[in-house]
Amino acid sequence: MTSTLLEQLNWRYATKKMDPSKKVPQEKVDTIVEAIRMTPTSSGTQPFELLVVTNPDKLAQIQKAASDQTQITEGSHLLVFAAWDNYTKDRIDAVTDLNVEARGDLPLLSDAEVNYAHAARQAYIALGVALVAAAEQEVDSTPMEGFDPAKVDEILGLKERGLRSVILLPLGYRDAESDWLAPMKKVRKSAETLVTHID
């Protein structure tokens, strides 16, 4: 029996302890990565790149730069969302040449920090899609902001590529017996508290 989207979202949680003996099958990773590629972004620019890290040495270095969060090395794959450090005409054109005629020219922002902040927000849209896609595949994941971006950029050689790491997403399978969060009830605001209907 196929579970519904809401059941899948209720099943998922920010996994604190993963089972290093269980590897996520490549087809599931491929599905999650493809969902990220299909993420809607501002003007379809996709101003970020995704790094899929499985190299043990790199993972160990990134774990040190991320307050020693064990999911990074216990999971089987680490997704690193890296936003463009700036918008340039070449970057925009590379993405939009195929449809610029239909949509018109795209405006370029001017300030590099403003551009990066905009690109980072687009990466977060992709993160949301990745979390849902992982849940749909019954793969555990943990979004992480608690890391040193400059250090991760150095480890992965991102600066030279005009990229800045934004968020990490380890993928793996929960070790439910060792994870203190696994048995806890999911806590969310009520719909009445969160949602306002304006008719």
Side-chain angles (χ1 to χ4, degrees):
M1 180 175 141
T2 305
S3 61
T4 68
L5 175 61
L6 292 180
E7 287 171 335
Q8 290 162 341
L9 291 176
N10 191 57
W11 168 85
R12 76 150 304 278
Y13 72 105
T15 308
K16 303 303 180 189
K17 183 75 175 166
M18 291 188 180
D19 184 344
S21 70
K22 295 181 180 176
K23 303 300 179 191
V24 180
Q26 191 59 47
E27 60 269 21
K28 288 181 178 280
V29 176
D30 291 344
T31 297
I32 295 165
V33 168
E34 181 63 6
I36 293 167
R37 190 184 72 83
M38 295 299 295
T39 294
T41 57
S42 178
S43 300
T45 51
Q46 296 178 287
F48 59 88
E49 292 185 23
L50 180 72
L51 292 89
V52 182
V53 184
T54 55
N55 178 284
D57 291 337
K58 296 290 186 189
L59 290 171
Q61 291 177 55
I62 293 170
Q63 181 177 334
K64 287 181 183 176
S67 303
D68 210 33
Q69 296 179 80
T70 59
Q71 303 97 311
I72 292 171
T73 52
E74 291 174 347
S76 62
H77 298 74
L78 176 67
L79 305 185
V80 179
F81 294 79
W84 290 354
D85 60 359
N86 198 359
Y87 288 172
T88 64
K89 190 172 190 315
D90 287 344
R91 275 180 158 170
I92 297 292
D93 287 349
V95 177
T96 60
D97 276 350
L98 295 177
N99 59 25
V100 71
E101 193 173 304
R103 294 184 176 182
D105 208 2
L106 294 170
L108 291 174
L109 303 175
S110 57
D111 180 76
E113 251 341 276
V114 171
N115 291 348
Y116 164 70
H118 184 264
R121 288 195 295 273
Q122 305 311 300
Y124 270 89
I125 296 172
L127 170 71
V129 170
L131 290 168
V132 174
E136 190 272 333
Q137 292 294 308
E138 295 186 342
V139 170
D140 287 301
S141 61
T142 308
M144 294 181 175
E145 289 183 311
F147 67 98
D148 181 341
K151 189 65 179 169
V152 171
D153 293 353
E154 180 186 337
I155 293 166
L156 298 175
L158 298 183
K159 186 175 181 181
E160 303 82 62
R161 297 173 56 188
L163 299 169
R164 293 166 63 178
S165 55
V166 175
I167 194 157
L168 310 177
L169 185 66
L171 301 177
Y173 291 106
R174 65 188 69 175
D175 180 352
E177 290 185 4
S178 302
D179 192 339
W180 60 269
L181 193 55
M184 296 200 177
K185 185 177 179 181
K186 186 179 285 292
V187 178
R188 293 293 187 270
K189 292 180 180 179
S190 68
E192 294 77 17
T193 303
L194 183 67
V195 181
T196 299
H197 294 275
I198 302 174
D199 299 322

